[in-house]
Amino acid sequence: MPSKITPSAQIEQAPSPSKLQLIKRFMRAIGLQDQLDTGSFLERYTIPGGPMWKVASGEALTEDLASGFKVRFEALKTAYEKRRPFYQKAYEDHLNWEFTETELSAIVTFLEKPVGQHYLDGRWRMEAYTNTNTEDIEAEILKEAIGALQK
């Protein structure tokens, strides 16, 4: 966590047409628009053991993984579709509140360049690989901290 949090712009008025275009470009550049368009951010609910696929630990699946995922995700997408505009507006409203038009312009200009896309991809990979490579250390930290609390 950063030692200093940059304050938001806290803009309450509706975005200008040009700012709304920047918001949409920002959402597209970071991959958020695709997630909203497809509902893919809901996929986590469709995995075995999740709320849509109750499977006890160690229990064998009674259906094919791919088709089981597909049928659950289709049900989620159908339920999501009528609520999709709410998600779109919530993100657009927050981005309008968070950033000035000048800030969005600079951010979007960076993100739409190859170096900006590399930043996004590299950050994701760094988090994924580092989290995987430090799982054992985190387990040790957690075990030690829980032990300290029990003393």
Side-chain angles (χ1 to χ4, degrees):
M1 186 159 151
S3 58
K4 178 186 169 217
I5 297 176
T6 304
S8 64
Q10 299 183 21
I11 298 168
E12 298 292 338
Q13 67 267 21
S16 67
S18 60
K19 186 175 183 186
L20 185 58
Q21 283 306 110
L22 285 168
I23 289 169
K24 291 178 183 297
R25 286 173 55 198
F26 175 86
M27 292 173 65
R28 179 88 35 222
I30 66 170
L32 176 58
Q33 191 60 58
D34 184 59
Q35 291 176 356
L36 294 177
D37 290 345
T38 63
S40 64
F41 66 96
L42 297 168
E43 287 176 347
R44 67 185 182 275
Y45 296 115
T46 65
I47 61 172
M52 293 186 71
W53 200 338
K54 302 289 184 193
V55 179
S57 181
E59 182 181 327
L61 294 177
T62 58
E63 59 188 299
D64 173 73
L65 189 60
S67 60
F69 171 82
K70 183 178 179 181
V71 71
R72 285 164 178 81
F73 189 60
E74 288 302 319
L76 262 177
K77 286 195 314 189
T78 299
Y80 164 69
E81 194 52 41
K82 61 184 162 232
R83 295 167 178 91
R84 190 197 166 295
F86 174 82
Y87 282 89
Q88 186 74 38
K89 182 167 177 13
Y91 279 104
E92 288 175 2
D93 287 352
H94 181 80
L95 290 167
N96 179 57
W97 181 85
E98 186 70 42
F99 299 107
T100 66
E101 187 166 348
T102 302
E103 288 172 325
L104 275 171
S105 180
I107 294 167
V108 167
T109 297
F110 169 72
L111 292 176
E112 289 180 340
K113 290 180 180 178
V115 69
Q117 287 300 296
H118 186 185
Y119 164 77
L120 292 172
D121 293 341
R123 182 179 169 109
W124 177 87
R125 280 190 297 269
M126 176 186 66
E127 292 296 326
Y129 293 137
T130 303
N131 288 343
T132 298
N133 293 337
T134 59
E135 284 177 343
D136 293 341
I137 296 169
E138 285 189 21
E140 290 173 15
I141 292 168
L142 187 58
K143 182 178 178 181
E144 184 178 323
I146 290 171
L149 290 174
Q150 295 172 343
K151 290 181 182 180

